[in-house]
Amino acid sequence: FHVMAKPTGSTCNLDCKYCFYLSKETLPKGPGTGQMSDEILELFIQQYIHGVTGPEVVFSWQGGEPTLRGIDFFRRVVALQKKHARPGQRIENDLQTNGVVLNEEWAAFLKENRFLVGLSIDGPRELHDAFRVNKGGAPTFDKVMAAAKLLRKFGVPFNTLTCVHRLNASRPLDIYRFLRRALDSTY
C-alpha cells in the first residue's frame, strides 16, 4: 500500500508548458490551491502509519511543488512521524521536487532526515528549458543543476525524473548520457 501526498495541491512555482496538473487549480471541486492543514497532516500521518502492516512506512511528497509548503512544514512531518511510529517501524520519506527553492538549509534537513529526493530535469539545457520555465517564462536549468550540486555536496541521495515530450523523445541517448555524466543519476 503506497500513498502520494500533495501538501500544496496543484500549486507550483513553475509553469511547465506540458503540465497537465496546473489546470486542476481551477476545476470545480478539484484540488485547488489549498494547503494541507496541520490537523489533516497529523491525521494523515497517524492513519497512514497505523494502516501499514509491514516494518517500513514510506511517505511520498509530491505536488505541484511540495517544497512551497516550506521547510517548517516538513519539520512537522518528521516530528509527527516520530510521535506516531510504532516500535520497530522504519519511517522513510521521498520528495519529488523541481529543485528551484532548495538551499543549504533544505539540503541539511533532507540529509539529516534521510529523505530520498526525486529531482525533475528533462535533459540538457536546451531540452529542459524548452518547457520547464518559471511563472515569468524564464528558464530553470541552472537552478535545477545548482540543486543537484547542493544535494551531492550534502550527501542527499537523489534520483532524476525526466518527462518525455515531443522535443526530447527523439534524443534518448543524449538524455541518458546527460543524466549519467552530468548528474551521475543511477535511477
Side-chain angles (χ1 to χ4, degrees), residues 20-41:
F20 66 92
Y21 202 63
L22 286 175
S23 64
K24 304 244 185 255
E25 289 180 340
T26 60
L27 289 178
K29 298 183 183 177
T33 57
Q35 295 188 352
M36 185 182 288
S37 70
D38 288 344
E39 295 78 22
I40 295 297
L41 176 64

Side-chain angles (χ1 to χ4, degrees), residues 61-177:
W61 304 98
Q62 303 260 329
E65 176 53 40
T67 60
L68 294 180
R69 278 308 312 263
I71 198 166
D72 288 338
F73 174 85
F74 286 96
R75 287 185 176 119
R76 283 192 302 279
V77 162
V78 171
L80 289 168
Q81 290 170 339
K82 289 176 183 174
K83 174 182 175 182
H84 293 290
R86 294 191 308 251
Q89 271 187 326
R90 189 174 69 253
I91 307 291
E92 301 289 339
N93 288 282
D94 56 64
L95 174 73
Q96 185 63 44
T97 180
N98 58 41
V100 171
V101 303
L102 295 185
N103 58 24
E104 289 200 354
E105 182 182 16
W106 267 105
F109 169 82
L110 295 168
K111 174 63 176 175
E112 178 183 341
N113 294 286
R114 301 179 346 268
F115 273 67
L116 171 63
V117 173
L119 188 62
S120 298
I121 187 162
D122 285 0
R125 179 184 305 277
E126 70 278 7
L127 297 176
H128 177 88
D129 283 344
F131 292 106
R132 296 187 64 81
V133 296
N134 69 18
K135 296 293 186 187
T140 61
F141 181 82
D142 289 336
K143 290 186 177 193
V144 178
M145 291 301 287
K149 183 178 179 181
L150 198 58
L151 293 171
R152 276 195 301 275
K153 174 183 172 184
F154 279 80
V156 178
F158 71 94
N159 302 325
T160 52
L161 182 139
T162 300
C163 288
V164 178
H165 51 72
R166 61 185 163 89
L167 294 182
N168 67 9
S170 63
R171 295 179 54 191
L173 287 178
D174 292 338
I175 293 168
Y176 175 79
R177 289 177 183 130

Side-chain angles (χ1 to χ4, degrees), residues 42-77:
E42 183 159 13
L43 279 172
F44 166 63
I45 288 172
Q46 179 184 29
Q47 291 175 5
Y48 187 48
I49 286 173
H50 292 298
V52 174
T53 57
E56 180 182 67
V57 183
V58 179
F59 286 84
S60 294
W61 304 98
Q62 303 260 329
E65 176 53 40
T67 60
L68 294 180
R69 278 308 312 263
I71 198 166
D72 288 338
F73 174 85
F74 286 96
R75 287 185 176 119
R76 283 192 302 279
V77 162

